[in-house]
Coordinates of all heavy atoms in Angstrom, one line a residue:
A302 N -157.5 87.0 -172.9 CA -156.4 86.1 -172.8 C -156.9 84.6 -172.8 O -156.1 83.7 -172.6 CB -155.6 86.3 -171.5
G303 N -158.2 84.4 -173.0 CA -158.7 83.1 -173.2 C -159.5 82.5 -172.0 O -160.0 81.4 -172.0
W304 N -159.6 83.3 -170.9 CA -160.3 82.9 -169.7 C -161.8 82.8 -170.0 O -162.3 83.6 -170.7 CB -160.0 83.9 -168.6 CG -160.5 83.6 -167.3 CD1 -160.0 82.7 -166.4 CD2 -161.6 84.3 -166.6 NE1 -160.7 82.7 -165.2 CE2 -161.7 83.7 -165.3 CE3 -162.5 85.3 -167.0 CZ2 -162.6 84.1 -164.4 CZ3 -163.4 85.7 -166.0 CH2 -163.5 85.2 -164.8
K305 N -162.4 81.7 -169.6 CA -163.8 81.4 -169.9 C -164.7 81.6 -168.7 O -165.8 81.1 -168.6 CB -163.9 80.0 -170.4 CG -163.1 79.6 -171.6 CD -163.6 80.4 -172.8 CE -162.9 79.9 -174.0 NZ -162.7 80.9 -175.0
G306 N -164.3 82.4 -167.7 CA -165.1 82.7 -166.6 C -164.8 81.9 -165.3 O -165.5 82.1 -164.3
H307 N -163.9 81.0 -165.4 CA -163.4 80.2 -164.2 C -162.1 79.6 -164.5 O -161.6 79.6 -165.7 CB -164.5 79.2 -163.9 CG -164.6 78.1 -164.9 ND1 -165.3 78.3 -166.1 CD2 -164.1 76.8 -164.9 CE1 -165.2 77.2 -166.8 NE2 -164.5 76.3 -166.1
G308 N -161.5 79.2 -163.5 CA -160.1 78.6 -163.6 C -159.1 79.4 -162.9 O -159.3 80.5 -162.5
P309 N -157.9 78.8 -162.8 CA -156.8 79.4 -162.1 C -156.3 80.7 -162.8 O -156.2 80.8 -164.0 CB -155.7 78.3 -162.1 CG -156.3 77.1 -162.7 CD -157.5 77.4 -163.3
I310 N -156.0 81.7 -161.9 CA -155.3 82.9 -162.3 C -154.1 83.1 -161.4 O -154.3 83.6 -160.3 CB -156.3 84.1 -162.2 CG1 -157.6 83.9 -163.0 CG2 -155.6 85.4 -162.6 CD1 -158.7 84.8 -162.7
P311 N -153.0 82.5 -161.7 CA -151.9 82.3 -160.8 C -151.3 83.7 -160.3 O -151.0 84.6 -161.0 CB -150.8 81.6 -161.6 CG -151.6 80.9 -162.7 CD -152.7 81.8 -163.0
W312 N -151.2 83.7 -159.0 CA -150.6 84.9 -158.3 C -149.2 85.1 -158.6 O -148.7 86.2 -158.7 CB -150.8 84.7 -156.8 CG -150.1 85.7 -155.9 CD1 -149.0 85.5 -155.1 CD2 -150.5 87.1 -155.6 NE1 -148.7 86.6 -154.5 CE2 -149.6 87.6 -154.8 CE3 -151.6 87.8 -156.1 CZ2 -149.7 88.9 -154.3 CZ3 -151.6 89.2 -155.6 CH2 -150.7 89.7 -154.8
E313 N -148.5 84.0 -158.8 CA -147.0 84.1 -159.1 C -146.7 84.7 -160.4 O -145.6 85.2 -160.7 CB -146.3 82.7 -159.0 CG -146.8 81.7 -160.0 CD -148.0 80.8 -159.5 OE1 -148.5 81.1 -158.4 OE2 -148.4 79.9 -160.2
H314 N -147.7 84.9 -161.3 CA -147.5 85.6 -162.6 C -147.8 87.0 -162.4 O -148.9 87.5 -162.0 CB -148.5 85.0 -163.7 CG -148.3 85.6 -165.0 ND1 -147.2 85.5 -165.7 CD2 -149.2 86.4 -165.7 CE1 -147.3 86.2 -166.9 NE2 -148.5 86.7 -166.9
R315 N -146.7 87.8 -162.5 CA -146.8 89.3 -162.1 C -147.9 90.0 -162.8 O -148.6 90.8 -162.1 CB -145.4 89.9 -162.5 CG -145.4 91.4 -162.3 CD -144.1 92.0 -162.6 NE -143.9 92.2 -164.1 CZ -143.0 93.0 -164.6 NH1 -142.3 93.8 -163.9 NH2 -142.9 93.1 -165.9
A316 N -148.2 89.7 -164.0 CA -149.3 90.5 -164.7 C -150.7 90.1 -164.1 O -151.6 90.9 -164.3 CB -149.3 90.2 -166.2
N317 N -150.9 89.0 -163.5 CA -152.2 88.7 -162.9 C -152.4 89.4 -161.5 O -153.5 89.5 -161.1 CB -152.2 87.2 -162.6 CG -152.3 86.3 -163.9 OD1 -152.5 86.9 -165.0 ND2 -152.2 85.0 -163.7
R318 N -151.4 89.9 -160.9 CA -151.5 90.4 -159.6 C -152.4 91.7 -159.5 O -153.0 91.9 -158.5 CB -150.1 90.7 -159.0 CG -149.4 89.4 -158.6 CD -148.1 89.7 -157.9 NE -147.5 88.4 -157.6 CZ -146.6 88.2 -156.7 NH1 -146.1 89.3 -156.1 NH2 -146.1 87.0 -156.4
G319 N -152.4 92.5 -160.5 CA -153.2 93.7 -160.5 C -154.7 93.3 -160.4 O -155.4 93.8 -159.6
F320 N -155.1 92.4 -161.2 CA -156.5 91.9 -161.2 C -156.8 91.3 -159.8 O -157.8 91.6 -159.2 CB -156.8 90.9 -162.3 CG -158.1 90.3 -162.1 CD1 -159.3 91.0 -162.4 CD2 -158.2 89.0 -161.6 CE1 -160.6 90.4 -162.2 CE2 -159.5 88.4 -161.4 CZ -160.6 89.1 -161.7
L321 N -156.0 90.4 -159.4 CA -156.2 89.7 -158.1 C -156.2 90.7 -156.9 O -157.1 90.6 -156.0 CB -155.2 88.6 -157.9 CG -155.3 87.5 -158.9 CD1 -154.0 86.6 -158.8 CD2 -156.5 86.7 -158.7
R322 N -155.4 91.7 -157.0 CA -155.4 92.8 -155.9 C -156.7 93.6 -156.0 O -157.2 94.0 -155.0 CB -154.2 93.7 -156.1 CG -152.9 93.0 -155.5 CD -151.7 93.9 -155.6 NE -151.9 95.2 -154.9 CZ -151.0 96.2 -155.0 NH1 -149.9 96.1 -155.6 NH2 -151.3 97.4 -154.4
C323 N -157.1 93.9 -157.2 CA -158.4 94.6 -157.4 C -159.6 93.8 -156.8 O -160.5 94.4 -156.2 CB -158.7 95.0 -158.8 SG -157.7 96.4 -159.4
L324 N -159.6 92.5 -157.0 CA -160.6 91.7 -156.5 C -160.6 91.7 -155.0 O -161.7 91.8 -154.4 CB -160.4 90.3 -157.1 CG -161.4 89.2 -156.7 CD1 -162.8 89.6 -157.1 CD2 -161.1 87.9 -157.5
A325 N -159.4 91.6 -154.4 CA -159.3 91.7 -152.9 C -159.8 93.1 -152.4 O -160.5 93.2 -151.4 CB -157.9 91.4 -152.5
A326 N -159.3 94.1 -153.1 CA -159.7 95.5 -152.7 C -161.2 95.7 -152.8 O -161.8 96.4 -152.0 CB -158.9 96.5 -153.6
L327 N -161.8 95.1 -153.8 CA -163.3 95.2 -154.0 C -164.0 94.5 -152.9 O -164.9 95.0 -152.3 CB -163.7 94.7 -155.4 CG -165.1 94.8 -155.7 CD1 -165.6 96.2 -155.7 CD2 -165.4 94.2 -157.1
A328 N -163.5 93.3 -152.5 CA -164.1 92.6 -151.4 C -164.0 93.4 -150.1 O -164.9 93.5 -149.3 CB -163.4 91.2 -151.2
R329 N -162.8 94.0 -149.9 CA -162.5 94.7 -148.6 C -163.4 96.0 -148.6 O -164.1 96.2 -147.5 CB -161.1 95.1 -148.6 CG -160.7 95.9 -147.4 CD -159.2 96.4 -147.5 NE -159.1 97.3 -148.7 CZ -158.0 97.4 -149.5 NH1 -157.0 96.6 -149.2 NH2 -158.0 98.2 -150.5
A330 N -163.5 96.7 -149.6 CA -164.3 97.9 -149.6 C -165.8 97.6 -149.6 O -166.6 98.3 -148.9 CB -164.0 98.8 -150.9
A331 N -166.2 96.6 -150.3 CA -167.6 96.1 -150.2 C -168.0 95.8 -148.8 O -169.1 96.1 -148.3 CB -167.9 95.0 -151.1
G332 N -167.1 95.2 -148.1 CA -167.4 94.8 -146.7 C -167.6 96.1 -145.8 O -168.4 96.1 -144.9
E333 N -166.8 97.1 -146.1 CA -166.9 98.4 -145.4 C -168.2 99.1 -145.6 O -168.6 99.9 -144.8 CB -165.7 99.3 -145.6 CG -164.4 98.8 -145.1 CD -164.4 98.8 -143.5 OE1 -164.8 99.8 -142.9 OE2 -164.0 97.7 -143.0
I334 N -168.8 98.9 -146.8 CA -170.0 99.6 -147.1 C -171.2 98.7 -147.0 O -172.3 99.0 -147.5 CB -170.0 100.3 -148.5 CG1 -169.8 99.3 -149.6 CG2 -168.9 101.4 -148.5 CD1 -170.0 99.9 -151.0
D335 N -171.0 97.6 -146.3 CA -172.1 96.6 -145.9 C -172.7 95.9 -147.1 O -173.9 95.7 -147.1 CB -173.1 97.3 -145.1 CG -173.8 96.3 -144.1 OD1 -173.2 95.3 -143.8 OD2 -175.0 96.6 -143.7
E336 N -171.9 95.7 -148.1 CA -172.4 94.9 -149.3 C -171.9 93.4 -149.0 O -171.0 92.9 -149.6 CB -171.7 95.4 -150.6 CG -172.3 96.7 -151.1 CD -173.6 96.4 -151.8 OE1 -173.9 95.3 -152.2 OE2 -174.3 97.4 -152.0
K337 N -172.6 92.8 -148.1 CA -172.2 91.4 -147.7 C -172.1 90.4 -148.8 O -171.2 89.6 -148.9 CB -173.2 90.9 -146.6 CG -173.1 91.7 -145.3 CD -174.1 91.2 -144.3 CE -174.0 91.8 -142.9 NZ -174.0 93.2 -142.8
D338 N -173.1 90.3 -149.7 CA -173.1 89.4 -150.7 C -171.9 89.6 -151.7 O -171.2 88.6 -152.0 CB -174.4 89.4 -151.6 CG -175.6 88.9 -150.8 OD1 -175.4 88.2 -149.8 OD2 -176.7 89.2 -151.2
E339 N -171.6 90.8 -152.0 CA -170.5 91.1 -152.9 C -169.2 90.8 -152.2 O -168.3 90.2 -152.8 CB -170.5 92.5 -153.3 CG -169.4 92.8 -154.3 CD -169.5 94.2 -155.0 OE1 -169.9 95.1 -154.3 OE2 -169.1 94.2 -156.2

Side-chain angles (χ1 to χ4, degrees):
W304 185 74
K305 302 293 186 212
H307 66 285
I310 305 168
W312 172 254
E313 60 271 9
H314 181 64
R315 177 177 76 158
N317 291 350
R318 289 186 177 197
F320 170 76
L321 296 167
R322 284 182 55 184
C323 281
L324 185 53
L327 184 57
R329 180 187 61 215
E333 289 294 313
I334 61 172
D335 209 25
E336 285 282 341
K337 290 180 176 54
D338 290 344
E339 184 170 35

